[in-house]
Amino acid sequence: VYVYLGGGVDSFNMLAPHTCPSTTDETANTYDKYLAIREHVALRSDITLEIDARTSSQPCTSFGIHPSLPILRDLYNEGSALFVANAGLLVKPVNKTNYKEQTPVQLFAHNTMSRETKQLDLNGHMSGSGVVGRLKDVLTKIGYSTDSFSISGDTMALMGRPGLNPPPSVMSSSGLTALNAEPSMTGMDDLIRDLNDATSEDSGFMSETWASALSVAMDQHSILYSALEKVSNSKSFPDNELGRQLSTVSRLMKTQVQRGVNRDMFYVSVSGFDTHSSVGPRLIEKFDEVNSALDAFVNEIKLQGHWE
């Protein structure tokens, strides 16, 4: 499940240095440097949720997680979560004088940073694909039956190699509604299929492609709608942007047998992290939303037996 925090979450105010030994040359340690650079928006160690980092190669023996994200602290402590440090969209170290020439990404543009984050292909080796879509391609190649869903609109993240897998399904956080629930005539769905299945020697390529895609979509909708109608979550989810999406994801997971798959890929997102001002109060609000949604999701998935 790929959770995208839209707007650019301030990662240094999600995970911050906590306890850091002094350096041998008596310069400021990592925590002191962090406070000096971040100033009034820094996460101070007396309010963060401390996690042990002594087994890592990091310059600090512990780090602090934002106090509004206890679910991440708990998952880390039980060995179910990890943080990948110093990861981003640079191909090599740069500075203010050379980053424009030596970085293939426009580092200060929301649209390019968002796209590149979902692609993770800075040198264009697999143009047009996304990081989750490529994972799905690999699983398909080694024999898994896979499926993919976006609960937050079209996204590059789920796109793989053309022709290897069906395109991802896009649905709303409320799930699916019945297709043509109030038809204007009896047997209308069958008539739509008959009209689109009709073909002749001089049928156009574009019309044949459209007709085929429509018929496939109707069949997929019928199977998925029927499967979702039969399942529900055992745990309650918060009624917020991310909570509603993850609730639908957990219901979809319960339909894997009916869909004939053993691996699923999901994309969800939550907006509002473009914090140009009021960083502290805004992050508390947004992290509270993320925490409550993730907590409900983890509990539900563990209950389903899908937590690995």
Side-chain angles (χ1 to χ4, degrees), residues 60-115:
C60 301
T61 57
S62 67
F63 285 81
I65 298 174
H66 193 283
S68 293
L69 290 169
I71 183 62
L72 295 186
R73 184 267 318 272
D74 295 344
L75 291 175
Y76 179 89
N77 286 340
E78 73 176 39
S80 296
L82 58 82
F83 291 92
V84 180
N86 198 30
L89 296 175
L90 293 179
V91 294
K92 62 180 180 179
V94 293
N95 56 43
K96 290 188 292 186
T97 66
N98 63 14
Y99 77 89
K100 288 185 178 180
E101 295 77 22
Q102 302 195 30
T103 305
V105 180
Q106 295 182 36
L107 298 177
F108 299 99
H110 275 280
N111 60 333
T112 56
M113 290 293 283
S114 177
R115 183 181 66 246

